[in-house]
Amino acid sequence: ALPCAFGIGAMSTLRCKITGFSFLMATSLATVLLAEESSLQIHGFGGWVFAKTNHGNIYLGGLPEGNYRRAELSLNLEDKVSDQIRIVAQTDFTQTENGHDARLDYAFAEWRLSEKLRIRAGKVKLPFGIYSEITDVGTLRPFLRLPQGVYGPIGLAGESYNGIGITGTLNGSSRWSYGYDLYAGGMDMEKFLPPEAFLKGQPFATTTDIEEESTRNLLGGRFTVHTPIDGLEFGASAYAGTLIESGSPHHAVGALHVSFLDDRWSVRSELAYEHSPHDLTARGFYLEPAFRITQHWQVAGQFNRLTTALSGVPIPSEPSFLEHRETAIGLNYWLSPKLVFKTSFHRVNGNRFAGPSPESYAQLVAAGQLQHETSLFMLGVNFSF
């Protein structure tokens, strides 16, 4: 975690935000100064988004009155210490309607023995599916936000793991090649807890919707096949570990992915499965095609779905809290590969991620007034450098 003053009350919260901001700014200044005399490479990516919903529901930062305050910047640093060793780190600074947040995404060292074998240790970006290693890079995807059916706050995957891993590329015959990753350690994941807690009759914080879920004794890997068809690849990811908070000893996640990318088409799809005894079982899926009409204009579509079953809740009092079905269309204008303006319209059925403020759950469910459908309009910009 970033340095933060400890205390109680609003003054401590403000001090924490200022400390995180100062840390990020100091890091930025230091990297600029060091870059003049070293092999340090500096990259960054970020953006801003306006989001508006209806029916009094909240989703992906969208508010019924509209939300202009979402903005983010990630700073990525890489230093090639030698021909075999490199150090990589990334920090993230985010502004939301609730204030500012600064965090460490990852920081790790890599020892390259060959293209077939590289060893990584530290807080390492998670090799899972298509998007886990580039979750903050908006210029590498057609929508302002990732498909929530797989990458939403459900506990399917985190952004990084703390531990050690190996990765490499193996060349086959006839232009086939294979990428692999194996890793061990621990992982933190974000989870939107209120819907599950409400159905289980458990207390939950109404001021902090997203909570952190930690996994230890983690073992996982990913295998990717690069085919002779340019831009076509597919693969599988899986990991297993112990959830610290729930004590579930066999938390396991598996996923399949396929993607095709060329100058005009971008088609991605993933299917994921999560099982935690005494906790939940979840199935997520998305399909995301996009097409470049011209050099600048791009149209995109997305369908994603998540279904959840809670252990000990065979007949939920409000089934919509376990369902998420989303259809979206988007129109983008690319000024360059590093700057894109995006707009999209999303239609959501279910309240797993989209819904009212958690403190109003009981009242709305009891009165039969919970709105199961949510419309979301998003307009924003993504950039990278």
Side-chain angles (χ1 to χ4, degrees):
L2 294 175
C4 181
F6 292 93
I8 300 175
M11 184 58 69
S12 174
T13 302
L14 177 61
R15 190 180 299 116
C16 178
K17 292 175 181 177
I18 293 175
T19 304
F21 177 79
S22 301
F23 175 83
L24 186 64
M25 293 301 100
T27 301
S28 303
L29 178 59
T31 55
V32 171
L33 294 175
L34 288 171
E36 298 179 356
E37 301 180 358
S38 73
S39 59
L40 187 68
Q41 296 183 22
I42 306 172
H43 300 283
F45 25 84
W48 162 84
V49 59
F50 165 77
K52 180 176 175 59
T53 57
N54 65 348
H55 295 319
N57 288 344
I58 302 169
Y59 180 55
L60 288 182
L63 302 175
E65 64 273 21
N67 184 6
Y68 293 87
R69 298 189 62 190
R70 294 255 166 170
E72 58 191 2
L73 172 68
S74 295
L75 187 66
N76 182 278
L77 317 174
E78 179 179 333
D79 190 11
K80 191 174 181 181
V81 179
S82 69
D83 291 339
Q84 291 183 304
I85 300 173
R86 70 183 182 117
I87 310 297
V88 183
Q90 182 173 302
T91 57
D92 176 80
F93 182 65
T94 304
Q95 174 187 310
T96 71
E97 63 279 7
N98 298 317
H100 300 81
D101 177 58
R103 68 179 183 182
L104 177 66
D105 287 337
Y106 50 79
F108 64 92
E110 180 184 274
W111 178 23
R112 178 182 177 275
L113 299 176
S114 69
E115 282 302 312
K116 296 180 180 180
L117 178 61
R118 287 171 284 161
I119 301 174
R120 293 175 173 176
K123 186 177 177 66
V124 188
K125 52 186 177 181
L126 182 72
F128 183 91
I130 296 173
Y131 282 122
S132 65
E133 295 173 294
I134 53 172
T135 56
D136 297 322
V137 190
T139 52
L140 296 181
R141 60 174 182 258
F143 285 91
L144 287 158
R145 293 290 181 261
L146 293 174
Q148 298 298 288
V150 172
Y151 292 97
I154 184 62
L156 278 169
E159 191 170 346
S160 62
Y161 68 90
N162 298 314
I164 188 169
I166 60 174
T167 182
T169 302
L170 308 174
N171 293 321
S173 59
S174 301
R175 297 176 59 203
W176 291 84
S177 64
Y178 312 93
Y180 76 91
D181 296 271
L182 296 171
Y183 55 89
M187 177 171 59
D188 295 330
M189 300 170 289
E190 291 185 342
K191 191 169 186 179
F192 184 53
L193 186 62
E196 296 179 22
F198 176 82
L199 294 177
K200 291 181 177 180
Q202 299 174 347
F204 56 89
T206 58
T207 55
T208 305
D209 297 340
I210 303 295
E211 297 194 2
E212 193 171 84
E213 188 174 66
S214 300
T215 302
R216 64 185 177 191
N217 303 327
L218 184 71
L219 291 173
R222 179 180 63 182
F223 186 76
T224 303
V225 179
H226 307 280
T227 73
I229 301 175
D230 290 341
L232 177 63
E233 65 177 47
F234 59 91
S237 308
Y239 72 82
T242 300
L243 290 177
I244 297 176
E245 287 77 11
S246 66
S248 180
H250 303 297
H251 174 67
V253 174
L256 301 174
H257 71 267
V258 60
S259 66
F260 174 74
L261 306 174
D262 66 11
D263 293 338
R264 307 199 72 175
W265 281 100
S266 162
V267 182
R268 298 177 174 97
S269 183
E270 294 187 66
L271 175 67
Y273 175 82
E274 173 187 6
H275 180 61
S276 298
H278 314 299
D279 189 11
L280 60 80
T281 298
R283 296 173 176 84
F285 167 80
Y286 76 84
L287 174 64
E288 186 183 66
F291 178 71
R292 286 287 187 102
I293 304 173
T294 68
Q295 179 184 356
H296 297 289
W297 289 102
Q298 180 187 44
V299 292
Q302 185 189 105
F303 173 77
N304 71 87
R305 180 172 185 174
L306 176 76
T307 59
T308 310
L310 296 180
S311 178
V313 188
I315 304 178
S317 58
E318 182 50 70
S320 68
F321 279 137
L322 300 178
E323 290 284 339
H324 177 81
R325 298 188 303 278
E326 179 177 1
T327 303
I329 56 173
L331 179 64
N332 305 328
Y333 186 79
W334 294 80
L335 283 173
S336 82
K338 296 183 178 182
L339 178 61
V340 55
F341 291 89
K342 300 178 181 179
T343 183
S344 59
F345 178 79
H346 306 245
R347 187 68 173 175
V348 179
N349 294 90
N351 300 109
R352 182 61 188 86
F353 301 131
S357 299
E359 59 264 25
S360 64
Y361 280 3
Q363 178 182 354
L364 292 175
V365 171
Q369 297 177 347
L370 180 67
Q371 295 290 333
H372 299 158
E373 295 185 351
T374 305
S375 294
L376 168 69
F377 172 76
M378 304 185 83
L379 172 67
V381 61
N382 286 132
F383 55 82
S384 59
F385 58 87

